[in-house]
């Protein structure tokens, strides 16, 4: 964890839980797990051990708050670029969540518009949303629903972030599932036909070997997802926060779709009170990402280059533009 005396959230200890099961092997709500601490403050450097217990099962996680109080403090000194037009975000032309468990037999189309509502771009996707991997009437922990918020492609791997319902992604500490598709293992356009009521069982088994689903894990608003050859990265920030917070970065191992590491880092202009909290980021490699900060009051967009060295982070403003 970064040393950030202004962070109002700290590290929420349930964030580190991949999953917990009862004696029958059924997944349980992580909030039912007893913990020796609910949060770890980033104000005091040191090493803290959090103990977890559910029934007879137990585990522990080591949390380290780094000592450098100046980590992540830099200056907004990038040459100001010319601003462009303000456009609306992407929105689903056809709803990604269809409210049923039938095979997806048609594509989803997403349309981008400019500030006047004129169509400027279109993205069409056609891939399997794995409702049939989970219980048809299960809990949020066990039911993988098709409300996709984020999507990333690295080589032949495609990652999506899925929520149980639309409002889930707007909640603080939002949880959901990640789905990893190995696209080169499934014939083109066959993904939408994977449910077993459409394919014969043997063909279905061969297809699903190339799809992995994470436990019900912390995702934040889940649209800042990126990946490399071995890991998936998620900037698990909350898109409605109004108070200073550090940024939380999750590293998920593609082998088992579980957390490998969690870091927090802070980016500040000149001094810590000038906090930069990111809602969008792009992963360049396992140690580098670019993150976008928008100052509404100054109509300024900043792109910051964030480099991880071990467990600490160095930051520098890479580009900036004004929109009038």
């Amino acid at each position: 964890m970064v040393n950030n005396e202004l962070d109002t959230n700290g590290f929420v200890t349930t964030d580190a839980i991949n999953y917990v099961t009862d004696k029958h092997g059924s997944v349980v709500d992580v909030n039912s797990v007893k913990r020796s601490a609910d949060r770890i403050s980033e104000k005091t450097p040191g090493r803290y051990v959090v103990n977890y217990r559910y029934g007879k099962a137990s585990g522990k996680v080591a949390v380290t708050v780094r000592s450098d109080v100046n980590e992540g403090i830099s200056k907004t000194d990038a040459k100001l670029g010319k601003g462009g037009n303000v456009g609306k975000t992407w929105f689903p032309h056809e709803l990604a969540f269809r409210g049923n468990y039938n095979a997806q037999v048609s594509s989803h189309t997403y349309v981008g518009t400019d500030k006047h509502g004129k169509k400027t771009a279109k993205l069409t996707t056609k891939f399997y949303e794995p409702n049939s991997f989970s219980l048809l009437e299960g809990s949020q922990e066990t039911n993988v629903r098709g409300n996709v918020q984020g999507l990333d492609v690295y080589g032949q791997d495609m990652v999506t972030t899925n929520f149980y319902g639309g409002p889930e992604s707007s909640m603080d500490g939002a949880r959901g599932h990640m789905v990893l598709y190995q696209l080169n293992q499934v014939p083109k356009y066959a993904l939408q036909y994977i449910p077993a009521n459409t394919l014969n069982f043997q063909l279905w088994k061969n297809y699903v070997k190339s799809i992995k689903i994470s436990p019900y894990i912390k995702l934040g608003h889940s649209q800042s997802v990126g990946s490399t050859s071995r890991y998936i990265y998620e900037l698990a920030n909350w898109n409605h926060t109004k108070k200073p917070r550090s940024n939380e970065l999750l590293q998920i191992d593609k082998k088992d779709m579980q957390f490998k590491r969690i870091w927090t880092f802070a980016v500040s202009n000149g001094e810590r009170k000038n906090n930069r909290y990111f809602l969008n980021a792009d992963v360049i490699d396992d140690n580098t990402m670019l993150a976008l900060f928008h100052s509404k009051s100054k109509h300024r967009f900043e792109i910051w280059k964030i480099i991880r060295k071990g467990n600490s982070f160095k930051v520098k403003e890479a580009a900036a533009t004004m929109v009038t």
Side-chain angles (χ1 to χ4, degrees):
M1 305 296 112
V2 68
N3 188 326
N4 183 2
E5 64 177 5
L6 297 183
D7 182 31
T8 58
N9 195 52
F11 176 64
V12 181
T13 56
T14 52
D15 289 2
I17 299 177
N18 282 297
Y19 67 94
V20 180
T21 63
D22 62 19
K23 63 182 179 181
H24 303 292
S26 298
V27 177
V28 300
D29 186 343
V30 295
N31 291 309
S32 63
V33 177
K34 293 181 179 180
R35 308 177 303 280
S36 57
D38 291 331
R39 296 173 186 263
I40 301 295
S41 171
E42 293 179 331
K43 297 179 181 180
T44 307
R47 185 177 183 273
Y48 306 88
V49 176
V50 182
N51 295 294
Y52 300 81
R53 181 172 294 279
Y54 181 81
K56 294 182 179 180
S58 62
K60 59 183 179 181
V61 168
V63 180
T64 300
V65 178
R66 301 186 290 276
S67 59
D68 186 359
V69 296
N70 294 314
E71 181 186 321
I73 296 179
S74 185
K75 291 184 178 180
T76 53
D77 54 5
K79 183 179 179 180
L80 201 62
K82 184 179 179 180
N85 294 326
V86 176
K88 293 183 179 180
T89 187
W90 292 89
F91 67 93
H93 184 66
E94 297 176 2
L95 291 178
F97 173 59
R98 297 172 183 266
N100 60 52
Y101 301 95
N102 297 328
Q104 180 190 337
V105 296
S106 61
S107 60
H108 297 330
T109 300
Y110 296 82
V111 175
T113 66
D114 61 19
K115 62 181 178 180
H116 303 295
K118 182 180 178 181
K119 185 189 298 184
T120 56
K122 184 171 76 170
L123 171 69
T124 299
T125 67
K126 199 168 188 177
F127 57 90
Y128 169 57
E129 297 171 349
N131 284 321
S132 63
F133 274 7
S134 56
L135 300 176
L136 296 186
E137 295 184 4
S139 64
Q140 293 187 204
E141 290 82 8
T142 59
N143 195 185
V144 183
R145 298 291 280 270
N147 193 300
V148 176
Q149 291 290 321
L151 184 151
D152 181 74
V153 176
Y154 179 88
Q156 292 297 317
D157 291 347
M158 182 177 79
V159 177
T160 65
T161 51
N162 295 41
F163 282 98
Y164 189 82
E168 298 297 323
S169 63
S170 297
M171 297 173 62
D172 194 6
R175 285 180 166 255
H177 294 87
M178 281 189 171
V179 184
L180 173 65
Y181 303 82
Q182 295 173 303
L183 298 178
N184 59 343
Q185 301 299 316
V186 180
K188 189 176 181 180
Y189 299 128
L191 279 169
Q192 70 271 26
Y193 297 116
I194 283 180
N197 62 350
T198 306
L199 303 177
N200 68 68
F201 184 67
Q202 187 58 46
L203 191 55
W204 178 83
K205 278 206 312 181
N206 290 336
Y207 282 178
V208 299
K209 290 177 183 177
S210 302
I211 300 177
K212 296 180 181 179
I213 299 176
S214 78
Y216 188 64
I217 57 175
K218 166 78 174 287
L219 290 181
H221 77 314
S222 88
Q223 294 175 15
S224 294
V225 59
S227 58
T228 62
S229 60
R230 181 175 176 182
Y231 297 111
I232 304 168
Y233 294 90
E234 173 67 40
L235 192 65
N237 285 355
W238 184 36
N239 57 348
H240 291 301
T241 186
K242 299 185 185 303
K243 296 181 179 180
R245 282 193 177 187
S246 299
N247 300 276
E248 186 172 3
L249 180 65
L250 312 177
Q251 183 189 59
I252 295 99
D253 197 321
K254 286 184 176 180
K255 291 182 178 179
D256 58 12
M257 300 298 287
Q258 297 182 36
F259 293 137
K260 181 78 172 180
R261 292 284 189 274
I262 300 176
W263 298 277
T264 65
F265 64 92
V267 176
S268 309
N269 176 27
E271 52 186 324
R272 189 65 81 197
K273 69 177 183 179
N274 298 322
N275 183 60
R276 296 318 191 233
Y277 188 71
F278 302 111
L279 297 182
N280 294 287
D282 185 43
V283 172
I284 307 302
D285 56 41
D286 285 300
N287 301 302
T288 311
M289 67 180 177
L290 295 173
L292 176 67
F293 171 74
H294 178 210
S295 173
K296 291 183 178 180
S297 60
K298 296 182 179 180
H299 306 289
R300 178 186 174 99
F301 289 86
E302 301 170 358
I303 298 176
W304 288 80
K305 185 176 183 180
I306 299 154
I307 299 176
R308 179 175 62 85
K309 292 190 175 182
N311 289 318
S312 61
F313 293 78
K314 291 190 174 182
V315 306
K316 180 176 177 58
E317 187 185 35
T321 186
M322 297 286 286
V323 177
T324 57

